[in-house]
Amino acid sequence: MTEPQQHWTPTPALVRAVLVAAVLAGVAVLGRRVDVAVLATPFVIGTVLALLRRPLDAPTVRLTGSASSLLEGQALRLWVDISAADETTDIDVVAVTIASTAFTVPMFNTVKHVGSLRPGEPCRVEIVVRTVRWGRRSIGPAVVRVVAAHGLLRLGALRSGLVTTATLPLREGFEAIDAVPRAEGLVGGHRSLRGGDGSDIAGVRPFQIGDRLHRINWPVSLRTDRLHVTSTYSDRDTEVVIVLDTQHDIGIPGGIDGTSTSLDIAVRAAASISEHYLRNGDRVSLIDLGQHFRRVPAGAGRAHLVRLLDVLLDVTARERGGAAVSTALARVPHGALVLLLSPLVGETATGRAIAIAHAGRPVLVVDTLPADANPPERSPWTPLAWRLWLVERAIDKGRLTEFGVPVVRWQGSGSLDQVLRDVSRAASAPRARR
Amino acid sequence: MKRARALIRALRDGVRLSGVQVLLRLSIIASGAGAMALSHGRWQGATVVVVVAAVVGLLATATAPDSIAGTAAILLITGLWLISHGVSPHSAHRPGAAATALVGVLLYLLHSLATLAAALPWSARIDRMVLERWAVRLFPPLAAVVVVAAIAAALGRRPGSFGLEIGGLAAVIAVTLLPAILVRPHRLTSKP
């Protein structure tokens, strides 16, 4: 894309060349000074030769990128192609600038690149940028300034189109233990609470009709004079429901190298958890507390991960939801593991977690409030108010624990292990419903 | 002035100037200083004033090559040349052909380097090809200086005539008009 109706305009250098040539030539003629005529010569010859090579056409600018999606912190190569329809177009200096955005950092600490456009040869300038925060954003436009005729003519800024990239929040690896409260389905990677064909040994018991012969434990059978079999737990899958609290965003977004907001932590955690469970063959669904219409139903496989990440890219902080979210949460399958990612601001998230737990579903709250979060100081009372709020929040967390909802701070890989063990143990224990 | 302000802002913001830009600016000062050294012959009251003004003009050109300071510096150095070698065509201090050619080369270099410095951004990765092409295009006008200086030296001092002066004035007008004709605006249409 090029801006319409561009003119090649004289630069101050052309004015200087003409002025100097005219004055010196005038002095040479009027003063009968051959030496001054000699001084004027290069200005005259240089100007005329340069203007004879002047381009008559405006070049076109095109911006392309090396990838349409990448991970946080990865580099993206951008190519700015400058070409002219007229093959004789000769441009001395092509200066390319990429308009930088908040989370697109040009590498090598330079934002401008200079090349030249030779007749018949298109000019390609490569610019490497690094995207440091998840999200869908447009990079560009590339602004190109050209100077021709040996610096005597220039064209206004030419602008290219935009390159749209998706920066996936899938940078930190996540691993969790195998334990889930209730493994359902027919096949999967988790040890269920029920016996059946599987790989995890449940114990040795007397042979029953229907047991497979290859399960017979011959050493025990010979010792006891009765047929015994090695029983196993069946391997089944589970459904993980990720509930994302996007009603508040606390903190200053600094990208992958700087500070994170609560939404950054929640989105990165959601992506990592989804990737982990989907890789293990489980089903993952997503409910956004702020945007009820962005619910992703349960699914499995690589394609589902792409779908989840696509939804996570467009997550923004907004305070909506209401009845539609309540309906979505009520439809969560009974045996599903619910992971609520929330900074626990206000009573909505706490209330939702308690409601889910009260409905008999195993729920785990992942605290996404940044450790270094601090409100901007608006008055001398701000620090005190902040401390009071933290106390209130601690009380809310205590209430959640009382209701059997564990709260754990997100710390990347392994941060859910202990809690998952506890939840699994609690799920297998006999209990009376209140 | 705008460029000077931009430079100050860039320095204040810690923008790294490219080595080429620094070299270009030093070369502007060097070529102007060389031309001045060759131009002045006698130290007079007026000469000192012109020298000081030319030095200021040179420094301003190095700082803001897109400004009018470049034009002023070149004209002041030429003025210095005229003062030093006498304004009258029958002056006893007739400059040598080599010195004249060298001053012509240095003045054109000053102009061309200032043009290049103005065309390049402050901090930029500059393709070497840009500088090579620029340098190659300097040769024809510089060669023309040497050739014209040699011709002038070979012809020696000839008495002028009224017809020759009228022709010379017409040539001056042509010199001024030709670039204006060549750069008449062409309305360019956008390419999809």
Side-chain angles (χ1 to χ4, degrees), chain B residues 51-185:
Chain B
V51 167
V52 170
V55 168
V56 172
L58 269 181
L59 292 173
T61 310
T63 314
D66 223 3
S67 66
I68 195 143
T71 313
I74 293 170
L75 291 178
L76 282 167
I77 294 169
T78 315
L80 191 67
W81 171 269
L82 285 172
I83 293 167
S84 302
H85 297 100
V87 181
S88 163
H90 308 295
S91 171
H93 300 277
R94 193 182 166 202
T100 310
L102 200 53
V103 170
V105 165
L106 289 170
L107 285 180
Y108 189 70
L109 270 180
L110 166 59
H111 157 72
S112 188
L113 291 169
T115 306
L116 182 58
L120 299 176
W122 292 113
S123 63
R125 292 171 67 196
I126 297 163
D127 188 2
R128 206 182 63 182
M129 193 63 75
V130 174
L131 302 175
E132 285 176 6
R133 276 159 56 85
W134 196 275
V136 165
R137 287 179 181 179
L138 273 176
F139 277 112
L142 296 183
V145 184
V146 177
V147 171
V148 173
I151 292 168
L155 290 175
R157 192 176 292 184
R158 300 273 186 235
S161 69
F162 179 72
L164 201 59
E165 279 188 22
I166 293 294
L169 280 173
V172 171
I173 293 165
V175 161
T176 315
L177 283 181
L178 188 61
I181 293 164
L182 287 173
V183 298
R184 70 188 185 282

Side-chain angles (χ1 to χ4, degrees), chain A residues 82-84 86-89 116-124, chain B residues 129:
Chain A
I82 303 124
S83 56
D86 182 5
E87 288 205 345
T88 58
T89 299
S116 58
L117 187 67
R118 282 173 287 180
E121 289 181 34
C123 171
R124 169 168 273 201
Chain B
M129 193 63 75

Side-chain angles (χ1 to χ4, degrees), chain A residues 109-306:
Chain A
N109 197 28
T110 53
V111 289
K112 289 174 181 169
H113 299 251
V114 174
S116 58
L117 187 67
R118 282 173 287 180
E121 289 181 34
C123 171
R124 169 168 273 201
V125 175
E126 185 180 280
I127 297 173
V128 184
V129 295
R130 192 166 162 260
T131 56
V132 293
R133 194 179 182 229
W134 57 273
R136 211 185 297 277
R137 58 180 56 87
S138 298
I139 301 174
V143 180
V144 178
R145 292 176 195 281
V146 291
V147 175
H150 215 217
L152 302 183
L153 295 174
R154 67 183 167 198
L155 206 59
L158 305 168
R159 289 170 201 279
S160 72
L162 303 172
V163 166
T164 306
T165 57
T167 308
L168 304 177
L170 201 61
R171 192 65 181 171
E172 51 189 50
F174 175 73
E175 290 293 333
I177 58 160
D178 184 35
V180 290
R182 286 177 199 141
E184 294 194 341
L186 295 174
V187 288
H190 298 297
R191 192 189 76 181
S192 73
L193 298 176
R194 294 179 184 174
D197 276 349
S199 50
D200 274 0
I201 295 170
V204 177
R205 59 167 174 77
F207 181 85
Q208 293 171 1
I209 293 170
D211 280 339
R212 295 188 178 188
L213 292 179
H214 73 268
R215 292 279 184 194
I216 294 173
N217 190 326
W218 290 109
V220 177
S221 301
L222 286 171
R223 202 162 52 242
T224 57
D225 284 336
R226 270 187 72 188
L227 273 178
H228 277 76
V229 290
T230 306
S231 66
T232 54
Y233 292 112
S234 62
D235 291 338
R236 300 190 179 189
D237 70 348
T238 189
E239 181 175 334
V240 178
V241 180
I242 296 172
V243 182
L244 200 63
D245 181 5
T246 59
Q247 298 183 93
H248 304 277
D249 190 13
I250 298 166
I252 301 161
I256 198 164
D257 305 322
T259 53
S260 299
T261 65
S262 60
L263 205 58
D264 285 342
I265 295 172
V267 167
R268 286 172 188 147
S272 300
I273 292 168
S274 306
E275 198 263 341
H276 169 75
Y277 282 108
L278 287 171
R279 195 178 58 222
N280 287 345
D282 296 317
R283 285 161 289 124
V284 178
S285 63
L286 179 77
I287 297 171
D288 187 340
L289 286 186
Q291 292 165 280
H292 62 273
F293 52 86
R294 293 191 68 81
R295 180 171 188 264
V296 180
R302 188 80 193 160
H304 192 66
L305 176 64
V306 174

